[in-house]
């Protein structure tokens, strides 16, 4: 379906029982709402209604040109506006990678709209800041961001030779057809630049503006994540004042929704179980 919000048109994949408790699913870079397909199937079987959103820059109808249009406050406002357009007062919120950053921020700033939070791979921004300040390995893990913030150069590197570097980045997400599923849309004119603008618009002030989270929260991390180390993962707990659960997945890559949809769905269901 398509949802009009804030003067933009967002693509949303809806599924599951119409009367099920609603779940908003936020994808990461450089993927799209399709990363939730297998997870959503399990959630539907448990009676939940899911809405997987192609976020700003990923929905062709929601692709503004300016870097500043991709700041975290804009991404948060999009998620809330989509909930309004769908007539959803509050949802179980799930985000992976950049979608997790948006989810943390929504839960911190709009707790009345979030029944529960399940953040996947990327911890609370304050936990990342702690790790970057204290852990040299995390600094090395995050060094790729410097390239992504360089307009033109990042696109050239990632898309050269049939997007070889982009495909290598996605290799942990699955087989060649699964990688194509994500890489091919990024080769459309303007798509990769819009996705990279999330990194280019990122600022310390916006990240620092994400305060503690009071809603019931689960953080799912995988120990073979090349981008997020254990220091950042374990620092996450200090930034949640509500009920908190840490679910580490051994032997799983960064691409948790693709690589471990079953365990991830179990973690989401354990979090949402028994809530209104």
């Amino acid at each position: 379906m398509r949802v009009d919000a804030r003067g933009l048109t967002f693509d949303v994949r809806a599924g599951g029982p119409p009367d099920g408790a609603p779940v908003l699913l936020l994808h990461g870079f450089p993927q799209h709402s399709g990363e939730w397909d297998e997870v959503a199937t399990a959630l539907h079987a448990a009676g939940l209604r899911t809405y997987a959103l192609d976020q700003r820059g990923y929905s062709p109808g929601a692709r503004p040109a300016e870097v500043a249009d991709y700041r975290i406050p804009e991404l948060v406002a999009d998620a809330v506006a989509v909930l309004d357009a769908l007539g959803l007062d509050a949802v179980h919120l799930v985000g992976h990678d950049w979608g997790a950053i948006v989810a943390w921020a929504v839960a911190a700033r709009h707790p009345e709209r979030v029944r529960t939070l399940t953040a996947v791979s990327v911890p609370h921004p304050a936990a990342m800041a702690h790790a970057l300040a204290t852990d040299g390995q995390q600094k090395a893990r995050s060094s790729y961001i410097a390239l992504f913030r360089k307009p033109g150069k990042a696109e050239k590197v990632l898309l050269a030779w049939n997007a070889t570097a982009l495909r290598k980045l996605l290799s942990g997400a699955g087989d060649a057809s699964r990688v194509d599923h994500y890489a091919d849309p990024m080769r459309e004119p303007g798509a990769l630049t819009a996705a990279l603008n999330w990194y280019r618009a990122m600022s310390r002030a916006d990240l620092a503006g994400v305060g503690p989270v009071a809603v019931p929260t689960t953080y799912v991390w995988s120990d073979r994540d090349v981008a997020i180390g254990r220091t950042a993962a374990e620092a996450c707990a200090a930034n949640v004042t509500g009920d908190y659960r840490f679910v580490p997945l051994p032997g799983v890559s960064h691409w948790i929704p693709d690589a471990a949809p079953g365990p991830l769905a179990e973690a989401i269901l354990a979090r949402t179980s028994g809530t209104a």
Side-chain angles (χ1 to χ4, degrees):
M1 69 167 67
R2 290 180 175 173
V3 175
D4 294 327
R6 307 188 70 212
L8 304 171
T9 301
F10 294 90
D11 295 329
V12 179
R13 304 186 189 206
D19 60 348
V23 181
L24 182 65
L25 301 167
L26 303 177
H27 66 83
F29 173 89
Q31 298 175 285
H32 50 66
S33 59
E35 76 166 279
W36 297 111
D37 286 351
E38 292 189 55
V39 175
T41 297
L43 301 185
H44 299 163
L48 298 178
R49 174 76 170 172
T50 64
Y51 299 90
L53 171 64
D54 282 331
Q55 298 188 82
R56 177 177 293 234
Y58 294 84
S59 288
R63 193 170 287 166
E66 300 300 322
V67 170
D69 292 327
Y70 295 85
R71 291 180 55 216
I72 290 173
E74 297 294 339
L75 309 173
V76 170
D78 288 344
V80 173
V82 167
L83 294 185
D84 290 342
L86 292 170
L88 301 174
D89 292 333
V91 295
H92 299 292
L93 184 59
V94 182
H96 171 242
D97 186 76
W98 256 107
I101 296 176
V102 178
W104 284 114
V106 171
R109 298 174 185 178
H110 303 279
E112 74 284 356
R113 308 303 297 268
V114 181
R115 298 180 181 181
T116 67
L117 169 65
T118 302
V120 187
S121 296
V122 175
H124 190 284
M128 276 298 298
H130 166 78
L132 288 169
T134 63
D135 184 356
Q137 289 188 351
Q138 185 58 59
K139 290 181 182 179
R141 289 172 184 267
S142 299
S143 61
Y144 68 93
I145 295 175
L147 170 63
F148 286 6
R149 286 172 65 89
K150 294 180 179 178
K153 183 174 181 179
E155 287 89 337
K156 183 177 180 179
V157 169
L158 291 172
L159 294 179
W161 300 102
N162 192 34
T164 296
L166 183 61
R167 295 179 192 281
K168 183 178 180 180
L169 174 69
L170 287 159
S171 61
D175 60 18
S177 64
R178 193 67 177 168
V179 170
D180 288 346
H181 183 54
Y182 300 126
D184 287 348
M186 287 289 97
R187 299 177 68 195
E188 297 173 2
L192 181 58
T193 294
L196 289 168
N197 279 345
W198 289 48
Y199 290 93
R200 294 164 184 165
M202 180 174 58
S203 72
R204 290 184 180 180
D206 284 347
L207 291 169
V210 181
V213 169
V215 305
T217 298
T218 293
Y219 171 52
V220 183
W221 173 74
S222 46
D223 65 2
R224 291 190 181 178
D225 191 323
V226 298
I228 306 295
R230 185 171 291 275
T231 298
E234 293 183 346
C236 196
N239 298 282
V240 180
T241 60
D243 181 69
Y244 177 73
R245 301 171 191 170
F246 176 42
V247 179
L249 299 179
V252 178
S253 73
H254 173 79
W255 313 101
I256 294 174
D258 294 283
L264 176 54
E266 290 175 6
I268 296 168
L269 291 171
R271 172 49 69 192
T272 61
S273 178
T275 60

